[in-house]
Amino acid sequence: MISRRNFIQQAGLVTAVVLVRPNILCSEPKQRNVGIQLYTLRDEIGKDLKRVIAKIAEAGYKEIEMFGFSRKDKFWGIEPRILKDILASHQLTSPSGHYGLDEYLAPEGKEDDLKVNIEAGAALGHSYLTVPYLDDRFRRSADDYKKIAEKFNKAAELCKRSGLQFAYHNHDFEFNSVGNTTGYDILLKETDPSLVKFELDIYWAVRGKKDPVKMFREHPGRFTMWHVKDMDRVKPELNTEIGKGSIDYKKIFAAAKVSGVEYILVEQENFSIDPYDSITESCNYIKGSLLPLMK
């Protein structure tokens, strides 16, 4: 039985804690969702896009990162606003989309080549417009990467006017040496941190001999999205379900706060089991074993 004296002492301790951290009793942990990059199921989309979206929701995902937009065909014949409604019918949202910007990044590229993508992203309700890849003709030297960074800054300004944040998604070539630095380091250094964020593809960073946690510490707050896919233990060029491979995701998720990550997105490029079983397994592992580690 708690004595009156002990009760008063414990109450005083709680009061002292609340004075130091006044919102400690009313704050709740941020609800984390697990998303997926639709490219994961690219081979299924041609059969029935609506069925793919329904199956993603059934697998436990709440967010889909889009890809595949074109000025002519939109998203496989579907207008962005209609696609947003289809997602909503399954309680899904689209926080980001991958948009190829080769036309804009070319030396003769114009802002109009970018604006059509911004309009699509805004119509879908994205938070981020993300560049998924750089054609090798644009990235042959350090100066090339500096030109890309300049274009990224301008693109990010345009995105901001439409309520979007600009981001870049890596592979492993960005970590190759260009002179005495790397393309990725140039992009980090030469872009405005308030305008240009990075979607770190953790698998490709590890393939590029990088330590994601070290990257977070060197550039805190810049990696606001993660692409999560695991590396096969026998054949590192292949993917596997999250938790089955060689990447230490528990260590990475424990460093989430310094990363500044907002969105966790599964992307798997190849499968050894049924794709829908695979994405379900990855989603369950992230929810059960990794999200609780995020600080």
Side-chain angles (χ1 to χ4, degrees), residues 70-85:
S70 73
R71 189 191 302 256
K72 177 183 176 183
D73 297 323
K74 311 307 178 186
F75 289 98
W76 303 281
I78 300 175
E79 290 281 348
R81 294 184 190 279
I82 301 299
L83 183 55
K84 183 181 180 182
D85 290 340

Side-chain angles (χ1 to χ4, degrees), residues 213 216-223 254-261 295:
V213 174
F216 301 160
R217 291 171 180 161
E218 291 174 347
H219 303 279
R222 295 209 72 180
F223 302 100
K257 186 175 181 179
V258 68
S259 163
V261 68
K295 300 175 182 178

Side-chain angles (χ1 to χ4, degrees), residues 37-54:
Q37 164 51 251
L38 188 59
Y39 182 80
T40 301
L41 298 167
R42 61 197 177 279
D43 293 335
E44 306 297 318
I45 290 171
K47 302 173 186 176
D48 188 342
L49 175 59
K50 292 181 180 179
R51 179 177 181 272
V52 171
I53 291 171

Side-chain angles (χ1 to χ4, degrees), residues 186-206:
I186 292 171
L187 294 178
L188 282 164
K189 180 181 178 181
E190 299 290 335
T191 54
D192 184 335
S194 68
L195 292 174
V196 178
K197 302 298 183 181
F198 289 80
E199 179 177 66
L200 187 67
D201 189 304
I202 293 172
Y203 167 88
W204 283 114
V206 173

